[in-house]
Amino acid sequence: MEVFTAAGFTALLQVIAIDLVLAGDNAIVIGLAAAGLPADQRKKAILIGVVAATILRICFAAVTVQLLAVVGLLLAGGILLLWVCWKMWRELRTSAKDVENANEALSDLDLNADGSVAGKGTRKTLGQAALQIVIADVSMSLDNVLAVAGAARDHFTVLIIGLILSIALMGLAASFIARLLSRHRWIAYVGLLIILYVAVDMIYRGAMEVLPVVNGAV
């Protein structure tokens, strides 16, 4: 199996790191949106977010691999990932209080012992929170699938493992990963560097694909 080759194993490690960081990042966004809801609606919003993220990852995975094979789209995907890196950098600088509220919403626990769960979130309706979560899920699910596909390169087995892991992490361990990343921010920064490397690599490989086509057309 290609996973047991040096290149395949390296790609697999990159994919695992990307999945961990982006699953945690997605979970924190869901938690922040749900933090402004009453306790009885919070779990419904989080469930909507996790289910939507899972379905979107499956849908995007079905088409992204084929799209990246089209000349020029690998380059475009790499440029899009650069934007993802910038967005992640900004999200990593989210205030500790906001992250704390998100983690309380996800776990439904009073983690800071202030007598309330996510009590400082901006008040909103379930519909507003659900819309905010689904819009964020569309962007973040595409980010995740694109990053995994870029890191896996031509290792199809690694790609499949990465996508299955991504879906499993969002469905089963999103809350735990979000708390882990909020306690150990360096893990998120390592993941950000890996995604940046994947973006630059995709841009380079995409440019190498496009240049012969451009030169042939001149």
Side-chain angles (χ1 to χ4, degrees):
M1 287 178 67
E2 56 194 4
V3 176
F4 298 112
T5 64
F9 185 67
T10 300
L12 179 61
L13 290 178
Q14 290 178 1
V15 164
I16 291 172
I18 289 168
D19 278 340
L20 280 170
V21 172
L22 291 183
D25 202 35
N26 204 162
I28 288 173
V29 170
I30 291 172
L32 283 171
L37 291 172
D40 60 325
Q41 295 181 351
R42 200 177 297 130
K43 289 184 179 178
K44 292 179 184 177
I46 291 170
L47 179 62
I48 289 170
V50 171
V51 171
T54 301
I55 293 172
L56 286 165
R57 276 163 167 75
I58 294 171
C59 294
F60 285 137
V63 298
T64 300
V65 179
Q66 284 77 19
L67 288 177
L68 288 179
V70 177
V71 173
L73 287 185
L74 185 63
L75 175 62
I79 294 170
L80 179 59
L81 268 190
L82 280 182
W83 174 74
V84 172
C85 290
W86 167 244
K87 188 174 66 169
M88 270 195 70
W89 168 253
R90 291 180 61 194
E91 287 167 0
L92 283 171
R93 300 174 70 185
T94 300
S95 74
K97 190 63 182 175
D98 284 342
V99 173
E100 189 175 77
N101 283 337
N103 284 328
E104 286 193 353
L106 288 166
S107 62
D108 200 27
L109 297 171
D110 183 11
L111 300 175
N112 61 2
D114 66 350
S116 65
V117 176
K120 303 298 183 182
T122 304
R123 297 295 122 187
K124 63 188 76 170
T125 65
L126 178 60
Q128 289 173 328
L131 180 62
Q132 184 180 343
I133 288 169
V134 170
I135 290 172
D137 276 346
V138 170
S139 171
M140 300 191 81
S141 296
L142 179 59
D143 298 348
N144 186 269
V145 172
L146 202 59
V148 167
R153 298 183 181 88
D154 300 320
H155 306 289
F156 187 71
T157 306
V158 174
L159 174 63
I160 297 301
I161 292 172
L163 294 174
I164 291 172
L165 180 62
S166 168
I167 292 165
L169 288 174
M170 274 308 302
L172 303 175
S175 176
F176 168 76
I177 295 167
R179 290 200 302 275
L180 178 70
L181 293 181
S182 66
R183 287 197 200 102
H184 306 286
R185 302 292 274 180
W186 65 268
I187 299 175
Y189 283 104
V190 169
L192 175 59
L193 286 175
I194 292 172
I195 296 171
L196 178 61
Y197 166 77
V198 170
V200 173
D201 182 61
M202 286 176 69
I203 290 171
Y204 173 76
R205 288 187 289 134
M208 291 302 100
E209 284 181 353
V210 170
L211 282 175
V213 176
V214 172
N215 290 335
V218 174

